[in-house]
Amino acid sequence: MTFEELGLSPNTLRAIDEAGYTTPTPIQAGAIPKVFQGQDVLGIAQTGTGKTASFTLPMIDILSRGRAKARMPRSLIIEPTRELAAQVAENFEKYGKYHRLSMALLIGGVSFGDQDKKLMQGVDVLIATPGRLLDQYDRGKILMSGVQLLVIDEADRMLDMGFIPDIERIFKMTPFTRQTLFFSATMPAEIQRIVDTFLHNPAKVETEREASAATTVSQFLLSLPSNDAKTKRAKLREIIQNEALKNAILFCNRKRDVDVVAKSLSRHGISAAPIHGDLNQSIRTETLERFKTGDLRILVASDVAARGLDIPAVSHVINFDVPFHAEDYVHRIGRTGRAGRTGISITMSTPIDHKALASVVEMLGHPIPPYGESQVSASAPTTTEAPTKPSRQRPVRKRKTSKPEITAKPVVVPTPEKPVKPKASATKPPADTPFGTHVPNFFSED
Ligand code: AMP
C-alpha cells in the first residue's frame, strides 16, 4: 500500500514526501480510505502508531474544498491535553503546508483575545481541549452548526481525566450529520457506550498492540525497602550518576512530587525541570523545547502532561513511583525506545507501590528484571523482588561502564508500534505557513 493509493491529493503527497514518510502505517492504510468515503471511524490505536496523520491527512484534503465562515469551525478536534493539541497543530502545519487552511487552537494558557480573533475570522480546523472549548461555546463565541468533521482523540484518556460528560455535550452540540473519527487506545465499557451512542455504523480500524521488533525497551526494577522520600531521592541521584544517561523522562504519580523531585535534582546540580498541568502553558512549552533541543537533561513529568509526547530520542525513562494504572506503565516506558532506537526504563518501587507493581507485573505477564544490586549503596539495602512470584531468576545488571551494559535480556513490551522515520521529521514550515497568522510561534517549532 502506498500513500498515492490512499487517494491523497498531490499537495498532501508532496508534504508527506518532505516529512520523509514512504509507507502508510497500518492505522493510516486502514482509516484514510474510510475517512474519504465519509464513514465514521473507530480507531483503536495508541500514540506512536501514526494515528494523528491518519485523521489529519484526509481532513486536509476534505477541508481544502470549501470555505470557513465566521465563528463556525468546519472541523473540530478534541484532545485531552494542551500538549497533544499543540502536537496535532504541528501535524496540520507539516502536512498542510501546501494548502491554505486556517486553524485555531483553543487551549488553556493561550489568551482568550487571540483565540477569539481567529475564531471570528472563521477557521477550517479548530483544535481544542474540552474545557476551553465549552467555555468559549458558553460565552457564545463559537457556533457548532458548521462542524462537518469531529475528531475525538485519546478517548480513554479523556475518560481517566473525567471529560466524558464534556465529550457527550460536544457530541450533542455538533450536527447529527457530522462525520466522527474516534480514537482510543483501549475500549473500556464507558467508551464503548459513547461509541454506540454517537457514532453511526463506524468502520473499526484496529492496530496491533504488540511492539514492532525494532521497539525494544530494557526494563529494570529497583525495589527499595522503605518509603522514605529522602532516601528515594538519593537513590535516584545514584541511578542518574551511574547510568550513561543522555536524557530521561522521569515520572512521578503526583504533581507535588514532580515539583519536589525536579527542585531536588536541580539543587544537586543535575539539569532537571518539571512539567505538569498546574504550570503555566508558556513554561510548559519552553521546558519541552529545552528538553527536545538537549538543553535540559531530565524532564520530570506527570502522566497527563507527558502523555503522547513525541520526543524521538529519549535514552531513559525513570519511574520515580510505580504508576497507579498499569496501562500508564506502558505509556511511560513507551517514551523511550522510539523510532527504532533502544531504550532503558528503570522503575523505583517502595512498599507503598506494591499493589500497583503487582498489577503492572500481571499486565506484562512477567516480572521486571531487577536493577543491578551493585549500583545501590550499602546504606540502604534493597530487595529486587517483584511482589508477585517471579517465574524464574533473571540475571542482575552489572556495573559500571561508560555505556549501560545490559546483561538482562531486553524485554519487548507492548509499547505502541513505531513507524521508522527515514529522515528526521524534517521540513520546518516556512515562516509564512498557511497557518502563519493563526498559530502561536512556539507551535511551529519542530
Ligand atoms: P503518532 O502516533 O501520530 O503520535 O505518530 C508517531 C510518529 O510517527 C510521529 O513522529 C509521526 O511524525 C511519525 N509518522 C506518522 N506517520 C508516519 C509514516 N507513515 N512513516 C513514518 N513515520 C510516520
Side-chain angles (χ1 to χ4, degrees), residues 3 16 19-25 27-28 46-54 57 87 91 94-95 308 310 312 338 417-422 425:
F3 279 112
I16 294 171
Y21 309 161
T22 50
T23 322
T25 65
I27 186 86
Q28 291 162 4
Q46 300 186 350
T47 173
T49 54
K51 75 176 161 66
T52 316
S54 79
L57 294 174
Q87 231 165 252
N91 271 255
K94 188 158 70 175
Y95 309 136
D310 184 31
R338 286 169 82 81
E417 194 170 64
K418 170 80 186 181
V420 178
K421 266 196 241 173
S425 69

Side-chain angles (χ1 to χ4, degrees), residues 406-425:
I406 302 157
T407 52
K409 200 167 160 261
V411 181
V412 178
V413 294
T415 51
E417 194 170 64
K418 170 80 186 181
V420 178
K421 266 196 241 173
K423 285 179 217 142
S425 69

